[in-house]
């Protein structure tokens, strides 16, 4: 099976370079979400679980269309579905911790 980057014609090392450039942004997102979890302030989200579920569904669609491994998107979809079923859809992404605890 191919990976997402390969299915789109992107070299794996080029994908790694791209991720290196956005790693600071990813770090800031992780820092923010960890503060949300620590303070349990899930309301007034910058990125709601509903919004993120849309992205997960796009990952699932891409995996299907490109015939690539879908294990990670399936895992994420299940986790997000549990959060939606628990009524956390309009809360911050960090509220996923509620279904993991």
């Amino acid at each position: 099976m191919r990976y997402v980057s390969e299915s789109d014609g992107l070299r794996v090392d080029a994908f790694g370079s791209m991720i290196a450039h956005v790693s600071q942004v990813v770090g800031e997102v992780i820092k923010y979400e960890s503060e949300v979890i620590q303070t349990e302030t899930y309301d007034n989200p910058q990125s709601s679980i509903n919004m993120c579920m849309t992205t997960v569904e796009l990952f699932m669609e891409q995996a299907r269309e490109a015939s690539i491994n879908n294990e990670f998107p399936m895992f994420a979809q299940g986790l997000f579905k549990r959060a939606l079923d628990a009524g956390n859809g309009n809360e911050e992404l960090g509220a996923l911790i509620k279904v993991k605890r």
Side-chain angles (χ1 to χ4, degrees), residues 40-101:
E40 298 183 346
T41 52
Y42 306 110
D43 56 339
N44 197 24
Q46 290 183 9
S47 183
S48 72
I49 290 175
N50 282 327
M51 184 185 319
C52 293
M53 180 60 148
T54 300
T55 302
V56 169
E57 289 169 351
L58 289 172
F59 287 149
M60 289 293 293
E61 182 178 330
Q62 182 181 23
R64 257 189 321 276
E65 289 176 0
S67 297
I68 59 176
N69 187 300
N70 68 354
E71 289 174 80
F72 179 74
M74 283 187 66
F75 167 78
Q77 185 181 45
L79 182 61
F80 278 81
K81 183 170 180 348
R82 286 176 45 207
L84 292 173
D85 290 348
N88 305 118
N90 292 320
E91 295 183 324
E92 182 63 53
L93 176 61
L96 285 174
I97 195 71
K98 293 177 177 183
V99 298
K100 293 300 293 173
R101 285 187 168 153

